[in-house]
Amino acid sequence: SQQGEEDPQALSIQEGENATMNCSYKTSINNLQWYRQNSGRGLVHLILIRSNEREKHSGRLRVTLDTSKKSSSLLITASRAADTASYFCATHRWGKLIFGQGTELSVKP
Amino acid sequence: SQTIHQWPATLVQPVGSPLSLECTVEGTSNPNLYWYRQAAGRGLQLLFYSVGIGQISSEVPQNLSASRPQDRQFILSSKKLLLSDSGFYLCAWDVGDPPQETQYFGPGTRLLVL
């Protein structure tokens, strides 16, 4: 079953703008991860945040986690056309990853 | 470095025909292996996972089966394909017991059943 739900389902922005994607989940987790998928390709791991962390940065990516609200957000700053892809959150629980439905991001040059 | 291969990349099969998709991992030993299916515009659904040779766990009842004949080989099969088996099939791996937290994905196989 799908635990994560991303919001919005689709997002279209101009190059240079920031993109924010949200993820909600239902049960307790060990960690939450964000993956990226270019059209027709496999998934690539972006960043992992543990249940005892609140915020994490990696380059232009910033992830927050609010375990009391069971939600996470992914912020991509200064977006580029090459950031165009689908972004998925995945919760890690008992050795398994459970993916959300994804946010389709389009960055227009 | 570790790499993961899937083939074929694309497959068009008639309803009722058999299926065999292959996934191999290089550069690591005793990986945990996973098969996911992704319907168009949707997230990934875990189908099978394996922690060792001959050890297969099924997540959802379906028309598919999986086998792991070698340490770094994972095969997804069907005796008779259904239209609903169409989708994008992704293989992934990680290591450890319990599994490490990040999975690494192959390039995927796009299956169209007509």
Side-chain angles (χ1 to χ4, degrees):
Chain A
S1 63
Q2 302 296 332
Q3 165 154 250
E5 293 184 5
E6 280 95 337
D7 166 52
Q9 292 187 349
L11 180 61
S12 182
I13 59 175
Q14 294 294 130
E15 211 166 23
E17 293 179 341
N18 295 341
T20 300
M21 290 160 267
N22 303 298
C23 169
S24 61
Y25 58 92
K26 297 175 183 175
T27 64
S28 62
I29 59 173
N30 303 117
N31 64 65
L32 186 143
Q33 303 176 38
W34 286 89
Y35 286 78
R36 167 192 168 128
Q37 183 181 33
N38 284 27
S39 180
R41 307 294 294 272
L43 276 71
V44 175
H45 179 258
L46 294 177
I47 195 166
L48 178 154
I49 186 165
R50 301 191 185 283
S51 59
N52 61 353
E53 297 177 308
R54 292 296 170 260
E55 186 171 313
K56 203 161 185 179
H57 297 254
S58 177
R60 293 184 296 114
L61 304 180
R62 173 181 168 241
V63 170
T64 62
L65 179 65
D66 187 335
T67 53
S68 66
K69 295 181 179 179
K70 291 187 169 56
S71 67
S72 174
S73 67
L74 171 66
L75 168 67
I76 303 175
T77 59
S79 64
R80 306 166 181 168
D83 294 328
T84 294
S86 292
Y87 292 82
F88 294 90
C89 68
T91 52
H92 191 267
R93 193 163 183 261
W94 305 116
K96 297 177 188 175
L97 280 179
I98 302 174
F99 287 85
Q101 299 300 303
T103 292
E104 194 172 325
L105 174 65
S106 175
V107 181
K108 301 185 185 308
Chain B
S1 64
Q2 300 90 355
T3 55
I4 178 169
H5 304 278
Q6 287 186 245
W7 64 88
T10 305
L11 191 59
V12 181
Q13 291 285 98
V15 169
S17 64
L19 174 73
S20 181
L21 303 182
E22 190 164 341
C23 170
T24 58
V25 179
E26 296 177 357
T28 187
S29 296
N30 196 29
N32 303 309
L33 296 171
Y34 305 84
W35 278 113
Y36 292 89
R37 176 168 57 203
Q38 185 179 30
R42 297 187 62 84
L44 279 68
Q45 180 185 36
L46 179 62
L47 302 176
F48 301 95
Y49 67 93
S50 171
V51 298
I53 295 174
Q55 299 178 64
I56 308 294
S57 295
S58 174
E59 285 295 297
V60 293
Q62 59 203 309
N63 185 42
L64 303 169
S65 62
S67 62
R68 185 168 176 175
Q70 300 180 46
D71 180 45
R72 288 170 285 183
Q73 184 185 30
F74 205 21
I75 296 172
L76 185 68
S77 305
S78 174
K79 292 182 179 178
K80 289 185 177 182
L81 283 168
L82 306 173
L83 288 174
S84 57
D85 291 324
S86 293
F88 192 49
Y89 288 84
L90 288 156
C91 181
W93 69 273
D94 61 23
V95 293
D97 180 16
Q100 289 183 357
E101 296 150 323
T102 298
Q103 291 183 10
Y104 301 92
F105 284 80
T109 294
R110 187 162 303 283
L111 172 66
L112 179 60
V113 182
L114 299 175

